[in-house]
């Protein structure tokens, strides 16, 4: 695919795609007429980049992460699948929260804050 097609299908600007390409985040080949041609898989890569940016990772951190060789481990794969599921659920809840009445929103946020400490403690336990 040429950059314009990637832009249209991903919803990103050609300038953003060009920048990601210059950083080495997106693979491409050159056509006979010297156009950059991106594989279909670049659309998934762009989704992954956006997801990592949503996690507040910098593009430099994303590049390091993407350059690491994947570890083939069933437990790690299961954790990654759970994290992906939770991310989708959080986005859904965030949307619901934005549509809630202000008084409900405040109560929901307080409830979330109360549950964050035990959750973070649990995550820290896993990493130690």
């Amino acid at each position: 695919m040429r950059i314009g097609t990637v832009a249209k299908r991903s919803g990103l600007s050609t300038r953003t795609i060009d920048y990601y390409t210059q950083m080495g985040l997106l693979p491409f080949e050159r056509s006979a007429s010297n156009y950059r041609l991106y594989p279909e898989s670049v659309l998934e890569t762009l989704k992954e980049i956006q997801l990592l940016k949503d996690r507040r990772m910098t593009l430099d951190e994303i590049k390091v992460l993407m350059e690491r060789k994947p570890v083939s481990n069933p437990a790690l794969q299961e954790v990654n699948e759970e994290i992906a599921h939770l991310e989708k659920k959080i986005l859904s809840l965030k949307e619901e929260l934005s549509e809630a009445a202000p008084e409900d929103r405040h109560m929901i946020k307080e409830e979330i804050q109360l549950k964050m400490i035990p959750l973070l403690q649990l995550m820290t336990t896993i990493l130690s």
Side-chain angles (χ1 to χ4, degrees):
M1 291 182 290
R2 289 179 44 183
I3 192 168
T5 304
V6 175
K8 188 178 289 184
R9 291 185 59 192
S10 68
L12 297 171
S13 69
T14 56
R15 187 173 175 177
T16 298
I17 295 164
D18 187 46
Y19 183 66
Y20 291 170
T21 302
Q22 289 173 10
M23 286 194 69
L25 293 170
L26 302 177
F28 68 94
E29 293 180 3
R30 291 279 180 187
S31 70
S33 52
N34 208 29
Y35 287 109
R36 280 180 288 184
L37 299 176
Y38 295 91
E40 190 77 23
S41 63
V42 82
L43 297 171
E44 284 302 315
T45 303
L46 289 168
K47 287 179 187 175
E48 184 178 350
I49 291 169
Q50 188 58 51
L51 184 64
L52 295 171
K53 284 179 64 180
D54 290 345
R55 291 183 187 170
R56 302 200 188 285
M57 290 182 74
T58 67
L59 289 176
D60 288 332
E61 292 169 332
I62 292 170
K63 183 176 181 182
V64 169
L65 183 66
M66 293 178 83
E67 288 174 345
R68 286 195 331 206
K69 293 182 180 179
V71 177
S72 180
N73 181 309
L76 182 60
Q77 183 175 352
E78 185 177 344
V79 167
N80 286 332
E81 289 170 2
E82 282 298 317
I83 288 171
H85 173 75
L86 288 172
E87 286 171 339
K88 288 178 185 174
K89 184 69 176 171
I90 288 169
L91 288 175
S92 172
L93 291 171
K94 186 177 178 181
E95 187 175 312
E96 286 180 37
L97 184 61
S98 70
E99 297 170 0
E103 59 275 0
D104 292 339
R105 196 174 314 143
H106 179 72
M107 185 180 66
I108 293 168
K109 285 182 177 182
E110 284 182 351
E111 185 72 22
I112 291 171
Q113 287 173 347
L114 289 173
K115 294 183 180 186
M116 284 302 297
I117 293 173
L119 179 60
L120 290 172
Q121 289 171 335
L122 178 61
M123 292 173 67
T124 303
T125 303
I126 292 170
L127 297 174
S128 60

